[in-house]
Structures are given as structure tokens and as C-alpha cells.
Amino acid sequence: MSTNEHWQNRPEGGSFFGMWVVRTIALHGGRGLARACLYPITLYFYLRRKPERVASQQYLQRVFGKPATARQVFRHMHSYAATSLDRIFLLARGEKQFQIETQGLELLDESIARGQGVLLFGSHQGSFEALRTVGVRRPDMSVRVVLDKQKTPAMTKLLEDLAPDIGANVIDASQDGTSIALAMAEACQGGAMVAMLADRGRGHEVLRYADFLGSPAPFPISPWLLAHTLQVPVVLCFGLYLGGNRYRVVFEAMAERVEIPRKERGPALDALISRYAQRLEHYVHVAPYNWFNFYDFWQQDVRATAVHDVAAVGERVQV
């Protein structure tokens, strides 16, 4: 099993820093007490989890152009712990304890005014939960999130316990590709925003390389095949953690329609993924401690097998 597969097969957001212990402290003792507990918890994992510590060092060296210090690595891990803690409060109590600013929300307003669905492509950066607050602020904006329930059991259980209404709006990515595409198409047809992460491929997915932080890195092609199939606008979204209780949710237009000609599939995918990687790199530099892929992201294996269960290029789901 590769390092990437080992990391992805661990319950994300759970085993890394003891989500359930912190959840109990957070909900009974308050956010201040829970945040104070993050320092010894982060120190414990900093000392015990060498693979993640090394991955953080390598990543931060790419960002800053020089070897990362122990303090920087600790800060990186602490940022992950802090956003994971805030996930609990955002799910259980909404945004009332946070300062969340938005940029580019008018892009979504335009699509909603047309009664049109939107694909939101995010990344394992900052807090995707902050995005959900937009749906709370704007009840006319329905948010559906594509999430692999089998790969993230801790997150699934947390959703079901703390926010059953949000959990009910999850599109389970552990289904076959056709079922995922049909569920996304139905959501888009109803004018929903369908959010998914586009930077990390699952074990069976085809990946293609794009330059990212100075070296080629593999990205999944399935989000772009789905965008081509659904033929709805694609908007990039980044929920940046700014420290303390502050977040910034940024929306950027990516494409009004994604077109991937069958005969030029490779170059078209490369162009789309390259543009996504460039914007991701931009926001990595804006908030370097927000990048939460704690494995060697650049050393994933590119899968040679085709993704047969995702709607094929050239076939359209009517929305």
C-alpha cells in the first residue's frame, strides 16, 4: 500500500487528533477550553506522527523556498487541528461564534437568479465547512456536498449527530460513478450548488499531472468529466482559515461550461487541471498553513485504468 493510500484509508479528521475526545470537550466546556487543549494534542501528534511531520516539512519547504522550522510545522498541524475543532462548532451552532467574510458571492447569485445549478470545486485547504454557512445565510441557496461516507466515517457520524439536515444533503461518493453523476444532475436541475473537492484522487481514479509548487503533481480527472457531463457553471471555492475565529470564503469563476472534445480529451483535461492547480497554488501562498494533505502529494501513482463508471466524455446528463 502506498503512503497516499495509507493516509486516505484512515478516518479523515478523526484519528489524526482525536476528534471525538475534542468534540466532547468542545460541546461541554466551550470553544475556549477546547482550543487550549489543541496545543498539547498537536504537540503529541507532532512528536508521534513522523510521516505527517515529514510531509509537512516538505510541503512548507516548497511554499517558502527554504527548509521549514519545527515551529512552522507545529503551526501547520495546529491549523489543521483548529479547523477540525471549528468544524464541530460550525455544524452544531452555525457561524455565530465566527467572523466569516465572503468574496465573489455574486457569482452564485447570478446562477440562482437563472434557476441554474452550480458546481463548486474546492480543495483540502482551510475549511470546507465554512462554505456551508453560505447556505445558512442564504436559504435560497441549496448546498449539496459530495463526500465519500465510507472513507470518512468519523465525519459522516459527526454530520449525522450534529447536523442531520446537512448530513441528509450529502451525495455519497462511495456509490458507483453513474449514481453519483445522476445524483449531481438531479441536484443541479433543482438549482442547487454541488460542492466537491478536486485536488485529491481516490485509489481507483485516473490522475493527470499539472505543475504545482514547482513540480508536477497528480490531480483527479473525474471532477472535470462530471463538469463536462453536467454542463453547468463551475466555480472554484476556498474556505481560508485566517486564525482565531476568522474565515474567508472565496468564490472564483472557472468556466461557464466545461467542454472536453473526445478527440482532444488529454489536452483539454490538462488545460483545465493546470488552471485549477494555478489558482490552488495562489491560495496556498495566501494562506500557507491551510493546506491539509499530510502525505507526499507529489508522489501519488497515476492510475492507468479508465474510469468506466463515470459518465463518459461526450455523453450528457440533461439538467
Side-chain angles (χ1 to χ4, degrees):
M1 179 179 292
S2 70
T3 301
N4 182 31
E5 289 171 329
H6 171 74
W7 174 261
Q8 290 179 333
N9 284 335
R10 295 169 61 199
E12 185 175 325
S15 60
F16 180 43
F17 88 115
M19 173 180 285
W20 297 110
V21 174
V22 175
R23 173 194 167 183
T24 301
I25 296 172
L27 295 182
H28 293 282
R31 186 169 178 267
L33 176 61
R35 279 184 64 87
C37 292
L38 292 185
Y39 289 99
I41 291 171
T42 302
L43 179 61
Y44 172 82
F45 282 97
Y46 173 86
L47 296 174
R48 290 293 300 271
R49 295 301 308 177
K50 182 178 179 180
E52 286 85 349
R53 187 172 69 246
V54 171
S56 175
Q57 291 170 340
Q58 294 172 342
Y59 155 73
L60 292 172
Q61 181 168 343
R62 288 178 178 274
V63 175
F64 297 125
K66 58 184 178 180
T69 65
R71 182 172 183 174
Q72 288 173 323
V73 174
F74 183 89
R75 180 178 175 183
H76 187 202
M77 289 184 165
H78 184 269
S79 293
Y80 174 75
T83 58
S84 297
L85 171 66
D86 286 347
R87 175 181 294 179
I88 295 170
F89 287 96
L90 286 165
L91 289 171
R93 301 173 184 173
E95 63 173 298
K96 60 184 180 181
Q97 291 184 279
F98 300 93
Q99 297 178 18
I100 301 177
E101 60 183 84
T102 60
Q103 291 181 203
L105 194 58
E106 65 277 3
L107 296 172
L108 305 182
D109 289 331
E110 293 168 4
S111 293
I112 288 174
R114 297 194 297 263
Q116 186 177 35
V118 180
L119 286 178
L120 298 176
F121 285 176
S123 66
H124 290 80
Q125 182 181 23
S127 175
F128 212 48
E129 253 62 50
L131 168 66
R132 300 180 201 267
T133 63
V134 174
V136 175
R137 290 183 186 182
R138 297 286 306 276
D140 55 331
M141 292 183 177
S142 174
V143 181
R144 302 288 303 278
V145 177
V146 181
L147 176 71
D148 190 333
K149 293 184 177 182
Q150 293 183 8
K151 284 289 182 69
T152 57
M155 184 60 204
T156 299
K157 185 66 166 60
L158 194 67
L159 276 171
E160 293 172 348
D161 289 349
L162 299 181
D165 53 333
I166 293 177
N169 287 325
V170 169
I171 296 174
D172 189 358
S174 65
Q175 305 175 87
D176 64 273
T178 300
S179 297
I180 296 171
L182 289 173
M184 293 173 66
E186 182 180 3
C188 289
Q189 188 174 26
M193 299 181 294
V194 180
M196 64 187 303
L197 304 176
D199 60 332
R200 183 195 297 176
R202 294 181 293 163
H204 66 277
E205 287 189 272
V206 177
L207 307 172
R208 294 185 74 91
Y209 279 100
D211 188 69
F212 179 63
L213 292 176
S215 298
F219 293 87
I221 69 171
S222 56
W224 308 102
L225 295 182
L226 286 164
H228 167 87
T229 300
L230 297 175
Q231 288 293 284
V232 296
V234 176
V235 174
L236 303 184
C237 56
F238 303 93
L240 304 179
Y241 174 58
L242 305 180
N245 67 342
R246 297 179 300 118
Y247 287 85
R248 179 184 301 135
V249 181
V250 181
F251 300 96
E252 281 193 6
M254 175 70 188
E256 188 64 25
R257 293 285 188 280
V258 168
E259 297 287 351
I260 305 177
R262 185 180 295 274
K263 293 183 179 180
E264 300 178 9
R265 170 174 164 157
L269 284 168
D270 288 341
L272 289 164
I273 292 171
S274 177
R275 183 178 169 194
Y276 169 80
Q278 289 172 5
R279 297 314 297 157
L280 184 58
E281 181 170 326
H282 168 78
Y283 285 104
V284 162
H285 284 294
V286 169
Y289 297 104
N290 275 225
W291 176 251
F292 300 142
N293 282 308
F294 288 94
Y295 63 91
D296 192 346
F297 185 79
W298 288 260
Q299 295 300 316
Q300 298 180 76
D301 296 328
V302 176
R303 310 294 171 180
T305 55
V307 183
H308 296 295
D309 58 355
V310 175
V313 173
E315 298 175 3
R316 299 281 166 80
V317 178
Q318 297 299 317
V319 294

